[in-house]
Amino acid sequence: MSAVGEAAAPVRDVRARLADMRETVAPAVGGADVAKRLRAFEDGTLYIDSTIGAAFAAWLIDAVLVNGPAIALAVLYGTRSTDPDAGAGAGVIAIALLIVLPLCYGWAYRNGRALGGLLTATRLVRMKDGSRIGLAKAGWAMLIRTLLMPFAFWAALDGLSQVRVSIDDPATQRLRAAGFDRLRP
């Protein structure tokens, strides 16, 4: 069997096992619609994926909170400054703040629950095992989330590899409380 065939077989096996479990977990997680979003991290731990709408809303809230002030301050400087090079200064301010603010915001919310996640009941976690993002990666994750998320949504819809995933936190907690922690063999 080729390397591609060997990799595809475990993926099909995981999908089949998840499909078998969905009917069993439906009452515990809030119904069949929620159970359809049952997934497993790379280590086999189960979770409920967030809806695309919730993930988008969380991104939008965080992007507005981070990028809004950066753009507003740049526009304010550009329109109010008497400096002859106010446009260039506004550009430098915008670029600097579009990089610095997401890093600081991410470091402040290193547990994966920025304001967008809190308001949408989602949590950003590592795809590897569902653990917290952590301080070292939190700023980088927020920078990607606020500036590059349209591309990340495209990549997720296209099926490209992910490092982080947004989970439905309450439904995942209900899943674990009902005793469904790991993918069945």
Side-chain angles (χ1 to χ4, degrees):
M1 186 181 275
S2 71
V4 173
E6 291 174 11
V11 170
R12 280 193 299 268
D13 183 47
V14 167
R15 287 184 184 151
R17 289 188 287 161
L18 285 171
D20 291 342
M21 289 186 70
R22 287 191 176 108
E23 194 172 310
T24 307
V25 303
V29 297
D33 288 339
V34 177
K36 287 179 187 176
R37 295 184 277 125
L38 178 69
R39 307 280 187 277
F41 294 115
E42 293 171 9
D43 72 348
T45 304
L46 296 172
Y47 71 96
I48 303 294
D49 199 11
S50 68
T51 63
I52 290 177
F56 180 77
W59 164 77
L60 186 62
I61 292 165
D62 292 337
V64 168
L65 282 173
V66 172
N67 297 337
I71 293 168
L73 288 173
V75 168
L76 188 64
Y77 178 81
T79 57
R80 302 281 184 195
S81 176
T82 57
D83 185 359
D85 292 328
V92 169
I93 289 171
I95 290 169
L97 289 177
L98 287 172
I99 293 170
V100 171
L101 289 179
L103 291 172
C104 294
Y105 185 67
W107 289 328
Y109 293 102
R110 64 188 169 273
N111 68 350
R113 303 268 334 245
L115 191 56
L118 287 171
L119 294 175
T120 59
T122 61
R123 180 184 303 270
L124 192 64
V125 296
R126 295 175 194 222
M127 188 66 194
K128 178 179 164 185
D129 58 5
S131 63
R132 293 179 177 202
I133 301 297
L135 183 60
K137 300 279 183 167
W140 174 248
M142 191 56 69
L143 181 67
I144 290 171
R145 187 174 174 88
T146 57
L147 290 181
L148 305 176
M149 190 54 104
F151 301 110
F153 270 116
W154 167 78
L157 292 174
D158 197 36
L160 297 178
S161 176
Q162 292 178 302
V163 176
R164 290 170 283 279
V165 66
S166 183
I167 67 169
D168 182 331
D169 205 32
T172 300
Q173 288 175 6
R174 288 191 305 271
L175 178 75
R176 296 208 176 117
F180 298 103
D181 293 334
R182 307 221 13 109
L183 190 59
R184 294 179 189 158

